Amino acid sequence: LERNQLDKAENYLRDAYSFNLDDKDVAMTYACLLCQLNRSQEAAIILKELIAQGYETVKVNMLMSIAYGMNGDSFMADKFKAISSLE
């Protein structure tokens, strides 16, 4: 996606997420976009909530692994990757 389209997507998803925090699909999509925008620390906050709620644990744990990897924390990245493979 072009930068302008990413900005529009971010605005849309941020608004959708803030209006309905219970929509786990929107939360997951927003976290994915945040990772794509190299904002993995923000994504990790959303992902931790999704993990606590038991939402699609394999996908969420894999994305959490990616987020930690982006932050340079290979230990936590490996931990969440291993957790996702156990599911």
Side-chain angles (χ1 to χ4, degrees):
L1 292 173
E2 293 179 20
R3 182 69 204 173
N4 187 38
Q5 291 174 323
L6 286 174
D7 290 341
K8 287 180 182 179
E10 181 188 0
N11 290 336
Y12 172 80
L13 287 168
R14 183 190 58 239
D15 289 348
Y17 178 66
S18 65
F19 288 131
N20 187 2
L21 298 174
D22 295 328
D23 190 331
K24 294 171 185 67
D25 292 328
V26 169
M28 182 68 167
T29 305
Y30 187 38
C32 288
L33 180 64
L34 289 172
C35 282
Q36 186 176 359
L37 295 172
N38 293 317
R39 292 168 48 194
S40 54
Q41 291 178 339
E42 292 172 71
I45 294 168
I46 296 168
L47 294 170
K48 287 176 186 175
E49 264 309 304
L50 290 172
I51 289 171
Q53 296 170 8
Y55 177 75
E56 295 197 33
T57 54
V58 173
K59 290 179 186 177
V60 176
N61 281 311
M62 280 304 294
L63 190 54
M64 187 67 111
S65 173
I66 291 167
Y68 275 111
M70 292 173 73
N71 287 330
D73 189 339
S74 60
F75 175 78
M76 292 300 285
D78 290 344
K79 174 186 170 183
F80 279 97
K81 187 175 182 180
I83 291 170
S84 71
S85 68
L86 296 174
E87 300 290 325

